[in-house]
């Protein structure tokens, strides 16, 4: 959100998107330094760090029948 806010010249409200970082310079090719890590959430949680990705185990109920 911080990158989109910077791109559009907007300011995020206080407390909004607390984990967001402005990486607009990376998007625009002005910098090669992006985030050091990235937390993902989809069907489970994952943490990326450079070339590695940890995906948390998610227990699913067994299908019967």
């Amino acid at each position: 959100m911080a990158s989109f806010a910077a791109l559009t010249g907007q300011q995020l409200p206080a407390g909004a998107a607390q984990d967001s970082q402005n990486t607009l310079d990376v998007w625009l090719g002005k910098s090669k330094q992006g985030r050091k890590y990235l937390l993902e959430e989809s069907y489970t949680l994952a943490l990326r760090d450079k070339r590695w990705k940890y995906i948390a185990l998610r227990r699913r109920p067994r299908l019967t029948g």
Side-chain angles (χ1 to χ4, degrees):
M1 286 183 90
S3 299
F4 284 114
L7 180 66
T8 59
Q10 302 298 308
Q11 190 164 357
L12 293 173
Q18 294 176 356
D19 63 342
S20 185
Q21 294 178 4
N22 181 356
T23 57
L24 185 58
D25 284 346
V26 177
W27 293 6
L28 299 176
K30 297 177 182 178
S31 173
K32 291 187 178 189
Q33 177 62 46
R35 294 181 73 122
K36 292 186 178 187
Y37 60 88
L38 177 64
L39 180 65
E40 299 177 1
E41 180 184 9
S42 183
Y43 67 93
T44 187
L45 291 177
L47 179 65
R48 285 187 179 270
D49 184 12
K50 298 180 185 164
R51 297 183 12 218
W52 298 97
K53 181 176 182 179
Y54 167 76
I55 302 173
L57 177 65
R58 180 176 179 218
R59 302 231 182 249
R60 296 183 185 180
R62 287 188 173 192
L63 300 176
T64 59

